[in-house]
Amino acid sequence: MDNLQSDLTANIKKKKIKLNFTEGKYATGRRKKSIAKVWVKKGSGNIFVNGMKMNEYFKRPVHQIIVTRPLEVSKSLSSYDVKCSVKGGGLSGQAGAIIHGLSRALVSFDHNLKKDLKKEKLTTRDSRVVERKKYGHRKARRSFQFSKR
């Protein structure tokens, strides 16, 4: 059991990729409970999330499409390298946080892209969060079954 666990951690450590983004632009993106730190620089279109390639981190094609959306809208899919560090929340929230951060970083790189990204509502923070559960209720709005008699 211990050997298997150590092999898995060694495998994960091998996949981590070190990148130099000193001349790139930085932005922070947020969605639900997720926070993404995004660095963008001129390059060949590689996207790395938490040290792994994007398609290794986000297995579902929907998340992969969502993450690349700001680059597709700005027609610069193969002209920027992206490095993201994301934590908190689930995969959908993390993908949303990366979109927000990537859009902001692209705008800081080239102000001409702001009009297109804003029209697609990619630069705006999506402030929707889960509504809290109330006392006397089953969930946020769902009540217990009411019996008159």
Side-chain angles (χ1 to χ4, degrees):
M1 184 69 183
D2 291 329
N3 276 342
L4 180 64
Q5 193 172 17
S6 64
D7 289 342
L8 288 174
T9 54
N11 242 356
I12 292 169
K13 287 180 183 175
K14 285 179 190 173
K15 289 183 181 178
K16 296 274 184 179
I17 299 166
K18 298 287 184 194
L19 297 166
N20 185 15
F21 277 79
T22 53
E23 69 276 358
K25 297 288 182 176
Y26 167 80
T28 305
R30 292 182 179 88
R31 170 82 172 101
K32 294 186 179 179
K33 294 282 183 184
S34 303
I35 300 170
K37 299 173 186 173
V38 182
W39 290 267
V40 176
K41 72 171 185 175
K42 292 279 187 190
S44 58
N46 297 320
I47 301 174
F48 297 98
V49 180
N50 288 350
M52 293 187 263
K53 288 199 175 235
M54 179 196 56
N55 51 7
E56 291 174 8
Y57 189 81
F58 292 114
K59 301 286 189 204
R60 295 180 62 196
V62 174
H63 292 143
Q64 295 172 14
I65 292 167
I66 287 171
V67 168
T68 57
R69 191 152 173 252
L71 294 169
E72 289 172 5
V73 168
S74 62
K75 297 177 185 79
S76 56
L77 194 59
S78 60
S79 57
Y80 291 106
D81 283 343
V82 180
K83 181 178 105 172
C84 308
S85 172
V86 65
K87 62 180 182 179
L91 288 177
S92 295
Q94 288 182 351
I98 290 171
I99 286 175
H100 186 227
L102 180 55
S103 301
R104 289 173 69 180
L106 286 172
V107 167
S108 68
F109 221 100
D110 184 12
H111 287 286
N112 300 328
L113 299 174
K114 185 169 185 172
K115 184 180 172 187
D116 296 331
L117 292 170
K118 193 170 179 118
K119 190 163 58 171
E120 294 290 321
K121 297 180 180 155
L122 297 174
T123 55
T124 312
R125 188 209 196 288
D126 191 355
S127 61
R128 296 176 296 168
V129 291
V130 177
E131 190 174 339
R132 77 172 205 85
K133 183 198 175 299
K134 280 78 172 188
Y135 60 87
H137 290 262
R138 241 201 209 141
K139 293 168 45 176
R141 299 195 177 198
R142 172 80 169 105
S143 297
F144 296 106
Q145 186 172 355
F146 175 72
S147 173
K148 196 167 188 180
R149 288 179 192 86

